[in-house]
Amino acid sequence: MTSVFHLRLDSNPGYRSDAIEKGFLENGLAYTGFDWMRHRYEYGAEKMRQEVLSRAALIKPDIIFAHIQNSEALDEKTWDELSKIAYTINFTFDVRYVDEIKWMYDLAPKLGHTFFACMEDVRNCNIRGIKNVSHSHSSCDMNVFKSQGKNLYAFDVAFCGNRYDNVDINFAKAKERQEMIEALEKKYSSRFMAYGLGQKGGLIAPGVEANVYNFSRISINQNNFDLTEYTSDRLWRIMASGSLCLAKYFSGIEKIFKKEVHLDWWNNFEELTELVEFYLSDEKERKAVAECGMNYVRENHSWTNRVENILKTCGV
């Protein structure tokens, strides 16, 4: 049986890797996970790195799957040693400007394969002569994000996403996000709610976020970066929960979904408002698109599907 040693990304209450673990298990792999963030917090970076190498050497897995999003977690020596032990894959679902993510470009030739969240990063590696890179979407924990089968609604429209326009983080579409929220608040008042760090509804745990989507007729997806084939995992969370998703258009969305069948998309606030009005006025159509999108995502875009594609791409 093929075995995997998974350097998990767990950051309660915001994110856990349980669904990725399930993805490996459902693809028939023997699984061992390691919560590197907790270990680093408790013992420091150097002891965490030593523990990663010690466990990898003891387990002797066929694959090391690292979910690492910053250059400080593992140093060059640790990556080199991991690559000697097993076929090492680095997966990130972080998108940044090139100067902030270049460390992954530099690391990629030393690994078995690197998966990026957008095609720009893949192309930037390719022009540098680095070919062992690919794009992969994320997914969500579909045990958490699922339909509760109720027809009760607290909001007509909802959005879950942190506020970044007033902090020292370089997110290209942070201002657009807040302008969108202000426009929806002005038009729909208490019928709309925004949740997240710095938003009116505040920061919420994944289980509460799933409730928001279940009790909202329409849920909005808007990404902090406008990049090819990149979308926040918010989109998968919305759709897996059975809410109608109105997504800000991103390049490549038409490769994944059929417009007005699985979800709908908008390019500007005027289009967004028109779509909201249309779907609020036609409950039958709204429910039909939401249900079709939910079934499609749950059948084709789970972490089990993602892991299967990752293993196929790597040939392991």
Side-chain angles (χ1 to χ4, degrees):
M1 178 183 289
T2 302
S3 59
V4 61
F5 180 41
H6 178 195
L7 304 186
R8 297 168 57 106
L9 185 64
D10 291 318
S11 55
N12 282 326
Y15 185 89
R16 286 193 56 80
S17 293
D18 297 340
I20 302 180
E21 174 183 351
K22 180 181 178 182
F24 280 115
L25 292 171
E26 291 189 342
N27 275 281
L29 278 72
Y31 178 90
T32 304
F34 178 71
D35 185 348
W36 65 268
M37 291 185 71
R38 182 187 62 78
H39 208 89
R40 182 180 64 177
Y41 176 78
E42 292 183 1
Y43 303 106
E46 185 55 37
K47 286 191 176 181
M48 178 271 288
R49 295 166 187 161
Q50 292 173 5
E51 187 67 17
V52 165
L53 290 175
S54 176
R55 294 195 186 196
L58 179 65
I59 298 166
K60 295 183 175 62
D62 298 296
I63 302 165
I64 295 172
F65 186 83
H67 195 167
I68 304 291
Q69 294 186 313
N70 64 76
S71 59
E72 293 78 30
L74 301 182
D75 57 10
E76 184 176 351
K77 179 182 177 183
T78 304
W79 284 112
D80 287 341
E81 291 301 314
L82 287 174
S83 294
K84 293 175 184 176
I85 294 171
Y87 186 94
T88 301
I89 299 169
N90 191 26
F91 170 86
T92 183
F93 196 62
D94 206 17
V95 289
R96 292 286 187 270
Y97 291 105
V98 171
D99 59 341
E100 296 174 285
I101 205 165
K102 184 177 176 294
W103 68 273
M104 290 192 66
Y105 302 173
D106 297 335
L107 176 63
K110 303 175 183 180
L111 305 181
H113 212 92
T114 296
F115 287 88
F116 291 101
C118 68
M119 285 304 299
E120 281 79 357
D121 288 325
V122 173
R123 295 186 191 116
N124 284 336
C125 284
N126 289 166
I127 65 172
R128 289 165 169 81
I130 304 166
K131 303 300 182 183
N132 58 331
V133 295
S134 301
H135 165 266
S136 178
H137 285 294
S138 72
S139 182
C140 68
D141 189 335
M142 294 187 185
N143 287 333
V144 175
F145 293 92
K146 58 186 177 181
S147 173
Q148 298 174 12
K150 297 178 181 178
N151 287 314
L152 301 172
Y153 300 103
F155 307 108
D156 283 344
V157 191
F159 174 77
C160 297
N162 296 333
R163 180 170 187 170
Y164 292 116
D165 66 322
N166 57 354
V167 297
D168 189 23
I169 301 178
N170 195 12
F171 285 168
K173 295 297 180 178
K175 182 180 178 182
E176 176 188 81
R177 172 172 295 181
Q178 293 313 121
E179 289 174 346
M180 175 194 73
I181 288 171
E182 289 172 8
L184 291 171
E185 285 178 338
K186 183 177 180 180
K187 185 167 183 63
Y188 296 104
S189 187
S190 62
R191 295 159 59 200
F192 167 78
M193 179 59 80
Y195 290 91
L197 189 66
Q199 308 293 10
K200 183 182 289 187
L203 187 64
I204 54 176
V208 179
E209 184 181 347
N211 287 341
V212 170
Y213 299 142
N214 267 273
F215 290 92
S216 299
R217 290 181 170 86
I218 296 170
S219 300
I220 310 297
N221 184 57
Q222 183 269 356
N223 302 319
N224 267 320
F225 286 89
D226 187 10
L227 295 166
T228 306
E229 296 188 46
Y230 166 71
T231 181
S232 163
D233 58 356
R234 179 187 309 103
L235 180 143
W236 313 112
R237 294 179 177 203
I238 291 170
M239 297 184 71
S241 299
S243 183
L244 172 67
C245 180
L246 296 184
K248 170 68 186 296
Y249 176 84
F250 60 88
S251 178
I253 191 173
E254 57 280 299
K255 295 181 181 180
I256 317 168
F257 301 112
K258 292 181 180 179
K259 183 175 170 64
E260 302 173 5
V261 175
H262 301 123
L263 78 175
D264 216 331
W265 57 74
W266 50 279
N267 290 282
N268 53 55
F269 299 156
E270 182 180 356
E271 288 184 6
L272 172 58
T273 301
E274 289 175 355
L275 287 173
V276 170
E277 290 297 302
F278 170 76
Y279 284 108
L280 288 180
S281 68
D282 193 334
E283 184 176 14
K284 182 178 179 181
E285 180 69 7
R286 176 183 61 80
K287 287 185 174 182
V289 174
E291 183 176 5
C292 185
M294 177 185 68
N295 293 335
Y296 179 74
V297 162
R298 298 187 72 86
E299 291 170 10
N300 298 281
H301 293 279
S302 68
W303 272 116
T304 299
N305 300 128
R306 298 288 184 252
V307 169
E308 180 182 9
N309 290 334
I310 286 169
L311 297 176
K312 187 180 297 183
T313 298
C314 296
V316 294

